[in-house]
Amino acid sequence: MKTILITGGAGFIGSHVVRLFVNKYPEYKIVNLDKLTYAGNLANLKDIEDKSNYEFVKGDIVDSDFILKLFAEKQFDGVIHLAAESHVDRSISNPTEFVFTNVIGTVNLLNAAKHIWKENFSGKKFYHISTDEVYGSLSDEGMFTEETRYDPHSPYSASKASSDHFVRAYCDTFGVPTVISNCSNNYGSYQFPEKLIPLFIHNIKNRKPLPVYGKGENVRDWLWVVDHARAIDVIFHHGKV
């Protein structure tokens, strides 16, 4: 039985990933690690909380001692790292919190994986879920690729870009088998209402103004969260290190 750590598993995207893995892979033990901040809600996972192959652990990835102890206890075979501060407006009002969670937290997980796996990386994988915002704004080409240069413009995207670089560095320097994916905006059930689509739905229902950024000329790409969870499944199992 493989033991897989999913960080941020009580959050919007994370809860969909946890549900998919728990239901699809009964031979896996899925450990959901979440700090349960404003964006994490265990009610998102009521339907699978009693499954025998599921376990919830409350904790903070910024706590390096806790993370190392957890890795030593559970002996994870894989990590799917979704835990992150992710709202641009919040990053502008409190950039330091984003540095601690998104950068230091990611490095703590990498250090624990490197230490516990002890360079015996066979069958192991550290999968870091990132954002396309690390590439900055789209120009006329219409899409980003793996070769698009990094060009973050907010504290949020800068913190995610930094974590991406650390993940690659641990692969190149220490041999930790890592994979990174950079996804566009997600929408779907269990999304925290500060995000654009649920915010608009809430405001329309309550006859409140619809806050549009700038002049409303910006274009966003949207992906249904269940499609993203399915992509994460494919990348985790078949993605190239």
Side-chain angles (χ1 to χ4, degrees):
M1 175 180 280
K2 286 188 174 183
T3 303
I4 309 299
L5 173 66
I6 300 179
T7 69
F12 168 44
I13 299 173
S15 61
H16 286 278
V17 176
V18 167
R19 177 179 295 101
L20 175 63
F21 272 68
V22 167
N23 288 329
K24 186 174 179 179
Y25 301 106
E27 72 277 17
Y28 289 0
K29 176 63 178 290
I30 304 300
V31 178
N32 171 14
L33 172 64
D34 201 291
K35 187 180 176 182
L36 295 182
T37 62
Y38 73 95
N41 187 354
L42 288 177
N44 296 349
L45 295 164
K46 275 288 185 185
D47 55 314
I48 56 105
E49 64 181 5
D50 295 325
K51 296 267 189 176
S52 61
N53 64 330
Y54 171 71
E55 179 183 356
F56 171 72
V57 175
K58 184 177 181 180
D60 189 351
I61 60 173
V62 174
D63 184 343
S64 59
D65 292 337
F66 164 77
I67 292 297
L68 187 57
K69 183 179 178 181
L70 183 67
F71 270 72
E73 176 188 345
K74 302 295 184 183
Q75 294 293 314
F76 299 115
D77 298 288
V79 177
I80 301 176
H81 176 35
L82 288 133
E85 295 287 344
S86 64
H87 193 54
V88 173
D89 290 347
R90 288 179 185 267
S91 79
I92 294 169
S93 60
N94 189 358
T96 306
E97 185 177 3
F98 282 67
V99 173
F100 275 106
T101 299
N102 297 353
V103 185
I104 303 300
T106 300
V107 172
N108 287 340
L109 291 165
L110 288 164
N111 280 333
K114 177 174 74 74
H115 177 75
I116 297 302
W117 294 342
K118 290 182 169 56
E119 300 184 12
N120 180 20
F121 297 128
S122 177
K124 305 294 194 295
K125 185 169 286 182
F126 188 105
Y127 177 13
H128 175 62
I129 285 84
S130 188
T131 171
D132 66 351
E133 292 198 33
V134 299
Y135 302 124
S137 299
L138 270 176
S139 54
D140 295 334
E141 72 268 19
M143 66 179 66
F144 300 118
T145 73
E146 290 86 345
E147 282 74 43
T148 304
R149 74 180 183 92
Y150 274 53
D151 189 25
H153 289 284
S154 70
Y156 163 58
S157 57
S159 69
K160 292 297 288 186
S162 177
S163 65
D164 287 8
H165 294 327
F166 272 105
V167 171
R168 286 193 179 89
Y170 271 65
C171 182
D172 292 345
T173 305
F174 304 112
V176 178
T178 66
V179 176
I180 302 173
S181 62
N182 300 81
C183 187
S184 60
N185 296 280
N186 282 210
Y187 71 94
S189 53
Y190 312 124
Q191 189 168 23
F192 194 73
E194 70 184 359
K195 302 295 185 177
L196 188 141
I197 290 178
L199 175 65
F200 269 44
I201 292 171
H202 175 269
N203 285 11
I204 289 168
K205 288 172 66 177
N206 292 279
R207 299 183 180 276
K208 293 183 177 181
L210 307 182
V212 179
Y213 178 75
K215 296 181 179 179
E217 296 172 345
N218 297 72
V219 176
R220 281 187 172 184
D221 206 38
W222 294 95
L223 182 67
W224 185 38
V225 65
V226 175
D227 283 339
H228 189 190
R230 291 168 178 162
I232 288 170
D233 176 20
V234 173
I235 294 167
F236 179 73
H237 288 98
H238 305 291
K240 295 180 180 179
V241 171

